[in-house]
Amino acid sequence: MSFDFAVILAKLPQILSGLGVTILIWIAGTLAAAVLGFVIATLRRFGGRPVDVLLQLPIEVLRGTPFLVQIFLLYFGGPYIGLRLDPWVAGLLGISIYGAAYYAEIFRAGYQSVPPGHVEAAECVGLTRNQIITAILLPEMALLVMPPSINMAVILLKETALLSLITVPEMTMTVQAIGSQQYAFVEALVILALVYWALVELANWLGRLAERNLSKLSA
Amino acid sequence: MTWKLFSLLLEASLMTIFVSTVSILLGLVMAIILSGLRMSGNRVAYAGAGVFISFFRGVPLLVQLLLIFNLLPVIGITLPSLATAIIGLSLCTAAYQAENLRGGFEGVAPGLIESAEMAGFTKVQSFIWIRTPIALRVTFPALVNEAILILKASSLVSVVGLIELTKMAQNLSASTYQPLPIFASAGLIYLAINLVVAWIGRRAENALPGLPSR
Amino acid sequence: MSDPAIKVSHVSKQFGDTQVLRDISLEVAPGTVSCLIGPSGSGKSTLLRCMAFLEQATSGNIHIEGEPLGFTDGPGRKRQSPAELRRVRSKIGMVFQQFNLWPHMTALGNVSLALRRVRGMGRAEAEERAMKQLDKVGLKERAHHYPAQLSGGQQQRVAIARALALDPTIMFFDEPTSALDPELTGEVLSVMRELAAEGMTMVVVTHEIGFAASVGNRIAFLDGGRLLFHDTPEVVFAAPREPRLEQFLDTYLDRGAAMLK
């Protein structure tokens, strides 16, 4: 047998457009997930016991079920309750909600890591709750929250590949389509794998860089 | 959503459990071997294990499965979809488990290895009888966590044609036009399995002896 | 005359720029107890570890019962093969300051593992022998306890049983009581006393001057990586005092010299 990678690489513009969609959904979805997760964790931290327990349930459900089932439910099930979504909207929403559950847990651990005395001290000097969150809690937990946050972002990058199964025109779907057009399916998948690999290693490298700078800042 | 449909999902979940269990155990064995290669002091083995781990952690499982599924027949290997699914899942989890084990192996106190050395163990014997059990014991919670991840990830093996819980849900959803209750039920079954696994894991963690006290 | 049990010839050890051992030579006769004493950082533990080839001497040689350990004799100072190293080293049993019991197995498991995996014994035979050793150190009842369930003194006695189970002719003790609470040192020292009385060749790195004075046949005093004295306790402790030794003994006098008088 022989492999012909040239026929795939000839479609570089298409591949790049798929890559663009992947990166766009990844970054937008991760940001949304992190913000949503932070809001949930903050509600759980300050909202009293009922809110804390109430919010734990969806988090456990989202963390205990496969992402694939979640997006199938959203994309194929949604129309039956009047929620007809474009694939990429469903994909972005899915990534954000799924990621939010994990980020909520990361920030929860972050909140728990700050000694209560630090918050009490801030209350004593008259800081408001919002000031305490932004001036005391967030900076103090930053170093602890950073590595799992980066890790989660990388996981979300890989999860975006599943969006091809609900026909989001991201990289996996695009390259697979090229592969079947050109009768070079294996070649297409090899290139696809290599691009993801490079992207993930790049993200890991950037993450380590960010961690190092952050720990220098706080040292 | 009838009981009949739900029981079909339950039946398919047995395949999910089977594929996941076999893959986790195979992956664990591979992860231990990868760890051994990394610590062998041989540069080629170290680099090879490193590339393996980096690749299988760096490429989405979906792409890995598609690649294995399409590549094997091209190089003349035809396997049933069950075997393909297990190979794909176990290669992937091996890389993750090796990374989990790394901390466990690094945490083994040098004195414990020296005492094995003085008792006449070869490097390999010491790896098998001292380092590996200690590393496994210390990283046991990570193994339980990985088991849950693989149970969820096994939903992807539908792309190699294996009918497990997610594929069954897809099929039923297509034939009955009831995606909402069917995917919700599938999700609940995954959740239930994972809660049981987590519960067993906690019980086992408390029951297992021999966590280093110092 | 037969070979000395241990012969240390011109051993020096360097860690980076630090000279830890300087040209140390000494011999240990079979059936005797040698105690290595000296202030912290004097190099006594490093010397013992070199004698077991857990550290490689930068220069110099170690012989165990006439056979080279670690490096082959002759020119070039070549490393021994791992198998040869294991063979010569099997004459030595080692007890560590931190006990180093394997946490994932019971006392019985710790003592029997090497019998099974290194000596190839069956489970029943290995466990029977292990039980005998545990009985000898007074811990038969604790055979099925894990290290985390044992006191420091008990862990150290299991460690001694583990070393003895392999039938060594020489026992090395690296500060065997330094990690123990004071009230637990007695049980370990009494096991070591018994062992000495049975005629085991022992090298003991210790801060227990009383033990060294009463059990040791030879005292080696190290300071700054040099072997300053190597003689009988009577000579070392009563000799016209060299200031370094005097200073050291003063620090430990309350425990040690009181017993000597």
Side-chain angles (χ1 to χ4, degrees):
Chain A
M1 89 224 114
S2 67
F3 292 117
D4 184 6
F5 290 98
V7 294
I8 305 297
L9 292 172
K11 303 282 179 183
L12 195 62
Q14 270 172 273
I15 298 176
L16 287 179
S17 103
L19 177 65
V21 174
T22 287
I23 288 178
L24 200 69
I25 290 189
W26 170 44
I27 289 179
T30 304
L31 287 178
V35 170
L36 194 56
F38 177 71
V39 169
I40 293 169
T42 306
L43 286 174
R44 290 187 71 182
R45 169 74 171 73
F46 293 104
R49 180 126 180 92
V51 175
D52 185 29
V53 175
L54 206 68
L55 286 174
Q56 192 183 349
L57 186 71
I59 291 175
E60 290 301 320
V61 171
L62 286 165
R63 280 158 38 95
T65 53
F67 178 54
L68 186 61
V69 173
Q70 292 170 21
I71 52 173
F72 279 170
L73 190 61
L74 185 65
Y75 183 69
F76 296 117
Y80 289 82
I81 52 166
L83 193 70
R84 197 171 297 278
L85 299 171
D86 271 351
W88 68 270
V89 177
L92 188 58
L93 203 59
I95 284 278
S96 309
I97 294 170
Y98 169 79
Y102 289 86
Y103 276 110
E105 285 295 287
I106 291 171
F107 285 115
R108 190 175 67 98
Y111 274 126
Q112 280 175 349
S113 73
V114 180
H118 294 198
V119 177
E120 285 161 17
E123 281 167 352
C124 284
V125 298
L127 294 187
T128 66
R129 177 177 295 172
N130 285 349
Q131 285 170 328
I132 291 174
I133 292 172
T134 52
I136 309 291
L137 290 167
L138 263 179
E140 278 202 46
M141 72 166 93
L143 210 55
L144 183 97
V145 162
M146 191 75 161
S149 294
I150 291 163
N151 197 26
M152 192 60 216
V154 173
I155 290 173
L156 289 180
L157 168 59
K158 287 181 281 176
E159 297 286 21
T160 60
L162 302 202
L163 300 183
S164 62
L165 298 173
I166 57 166
T167 67
V168 177
E170 47 64 76
M171 188 163 60
T172 299
M173 184 174 161
T174 311
V175 177
Q176 272 189 275
I178 296 170
S180 41
Q181 282 162 21
Q182 307 291 327
Y183 300 103
F185 214 66
V186 172
E187 290 89 330
L189 289 167
V190 168
I191 286 170
L192 183 62
L194 291 178
V195 175
Y196 273 116
W197 190 11
L199 214 52
V200 164
E201 285 300 330
L202 182 71
N204 278 329
W205 178 75
L206 286 173
R208 279 195 297 272
L209 211 64
E211 262 172 60
R212 215 173 308 143
N213 285 334
L214 188 67
S215 57
K216 251 187 248 157
L217 261 172
S218 59
Chain B
M1 185 72 198
T2 61
W3 167 248
K4 175 86 186 109
L5 291 177
F6 192 73
S7 67
L8 283 172
L9 288 177
L10 277 182
E11 219 171 281
S13 74
L14 292 180
M15 183 55 100
T16 290
I17 293 171
F18 176 74
V19 170
S20 305
T21 309
V22 174
S23 302
I24 288 159
L25 295 178
L26 270 178
L28 181 61
V29 173
M30 284 191 262
I32 292 169
I33 294 170
L34 283 168
S35 303
L37 291 176
R38 268 214 285 213
M39 295 187 297
S40 65
N42 180 316
R43 255 182 219 190
V44 177
Y46 178 88
V51 169
F52 179 97
I53 291 167
S54 163
F55 179 83
F56 283 99
R57 282 167 48 91
V59 177
L61 177 61
L62 175 67
V63 178
Q64 289 172 30
L65 287 167
L66 288 170
L67 190 57
I68 293 169
F69 184 57
N70 289 288
L71 182 66
L72 289 182
V74 175
I75 58 174
I77 304 172
T78 39
L79 287 175
S81 50
L82 178 61
T84 311
I86 287 173
I87 290 173
L89 275 180
S90 49
L91 286 174
C92 180
T93 183
Y96 282 90
Q97 292 192 56
E99 203 53 29
N100 290 340
L101 279 175
R102 184 214 283 264
F105 276 110
E106 282 171 359
V108 177
L112 298 180
I113 298 154
E114 284 181 352
S115 59
E117 206 183 326
M118 288 307 296
F121 285 80
T122 65
K123 266 187 168 184
V124 174
Q125 284 172 330
S126 161
F127 178 76
I128 294 172
W129 298 107
I130 308 297
R131 298 175 102 128
T132 299
I134 295 174
L136 283 177
R137 177 63 193 88
V138 173
T139 59
F140 181 75
L143 177 65
V144 176
N145 205 31
E146 180 65 19
I148 291 172
L149 287 176
I150 283 302
L151 264 158
K152 290 188 284 174
S154 73
S155 60
L156 298 187
V157 301
S158 53
V159 299
V160 299
L162 188 70
I163 298 181
E164 39 62 71
L165 181 49
T166 299
K167 186 68 188 173
M168 179 60 86
Q170 276 177 276
N171 290 350
L172 294 179
S173 145
S175 58
T176 63
Y177 303 105
Q178 297 180 20
L180 206 56
I182 284 171
F183 283 122
S185 305
L188 278 179
I189 294 173
Y190 277 111
L191 186 62
I193 297 171
N194 284 329
L195 288 176
V196 170
V197 171
W199 180 77
I200 293 173
R202 274 194 303 275
R203 290 288 300 255
E205 168 72 15
N206 291 330
L208 280 174
L211 205 61
S213 57
R214 272 177 278 123
Chain C
M1 200 188 122
S2 65
D3 285 316
I6 307 152
K7 187 175 168 208
V8 177
S9 328
H10 304 290
V11 162
S12 294
K13 174 71 184 172
Q14 224 168 335
F15 285 118
D17 288 340
T18 328
Q19 190 80 35
V20 188
L21 295 176
R22 296 163 196 266
D23 192 30
I24 291 188
S25 297
L26 60 84
E27 291 186 4
V28 175
T32 65
V33 177
S34 292
C35 293
L36 304 183
I37 62 170
S40 336
S42 60
K44 54 193 190 306
S45 277
T46 306
L47 176 58
L48 188 74
R49 291 172 59 80
C50 283
M51 287 161 71
F53 205 65
L54 288 172
E55 306 279 358
Q56 293 182 30
T58 315
S59 62
N61 289 303
I62 307 288
H63 285 80
I64 302 294
E65 294 176 356
E67 294 188 279
L69 177 76
F71 295 105
T72 53
D73 277 339
R77 209 165 179 261
K78 277 202 318 207
R79 276 287 299 268
Q80 253 172 347
S81 72
E84 180 68 1
L85 174 63
R86 278 197 302 278
R87 189 185 65 76
V88 179
R89 193 143 68 177
S90 71
K91 297 168 183 169
I92 305 169
M94 179 110 180
V95 174
F96 298 85
Q97 181 179 356
Q98 296 296 340
F99 330 133
N100 292 342
L101 291 186
W102 301 312
H104 59 295
M105 46 182 87
T106 61
L108 186 64
N110 266 276
V111 181
S112 60
L113 185 73
L115 291 173
R116 294 176 62 191
R117 303 303 167 196
V118 177
R119 301 286 159 90
M121 275 183 204
R123 189 193 180 115
E125 190 190 357
E127 291 195 342
E128 195 194 319
R129 263 179 77 157
M131 266 304 192
K132 267 190 206 141
Q133 291 302 336
L134 284 171
D135 195 22
K136 190 178 156 114
V137 299
L139 287 173
K140 206 174 167 183
E141 296 74 34
R142 303 282 159 148
H144 298 287
H145 286 58
Y146 285 88
Q149 302 167 312
L150 298 172
S151 74
Q154 290 170 334
Q155 289 190 54
Q156 194 59 297
R157 281 146 69 199
V158 173
I160 294 173
R162 178 174 68 179
L164 289 176
L166 294 160
D167 281 332
T169 53
I170 300 165
M171 285 287 284
F172 288 172
F173 294 83
D174 186 5
E175 304 202 29
T177 57
S178 297
L180 297 176
D181 294 333
E183 70 270 21
L184 299 177
T185 58
E187 56 187 83
V188 172
L189 291 178
S190 78
V191 168
M192 291 167 62
R193 262 176 234 276
E194 269 174 49
L195 208 54
E198 288 170 16
M200 175 68 79
T201 309
M202 292 162 61
V203 180
V204 185
V205 172
T206 187
H207 284 132
E208 302 278 344
I209 303 299
F211 175 85
S214 58
V215 181
N217 304 100
R218 283 284 184 284
I219 306 291
F221 175 68
L222 273 82
D223 188 78
R226 285 199 179 80
L227 182 63
L228 295 188
F229 286 92
H230 183 219
D231 217 318
T232 62
E234 291 75 15
V235 174
V236 171
F237 291 126
R241 297 253 174 106
E242 132 90 27
R244 301 293 306 167
L245 177 58
E246 192 165 18
Q247 194 188 351
F248 170 73
L249 287 177
D250 276 349
T251 321
Y252 289 87
L253 205 64
D254 48 336
R255 272 169 157 184
M259 291 179 71
L260 193 69
K261 295 277 150 65

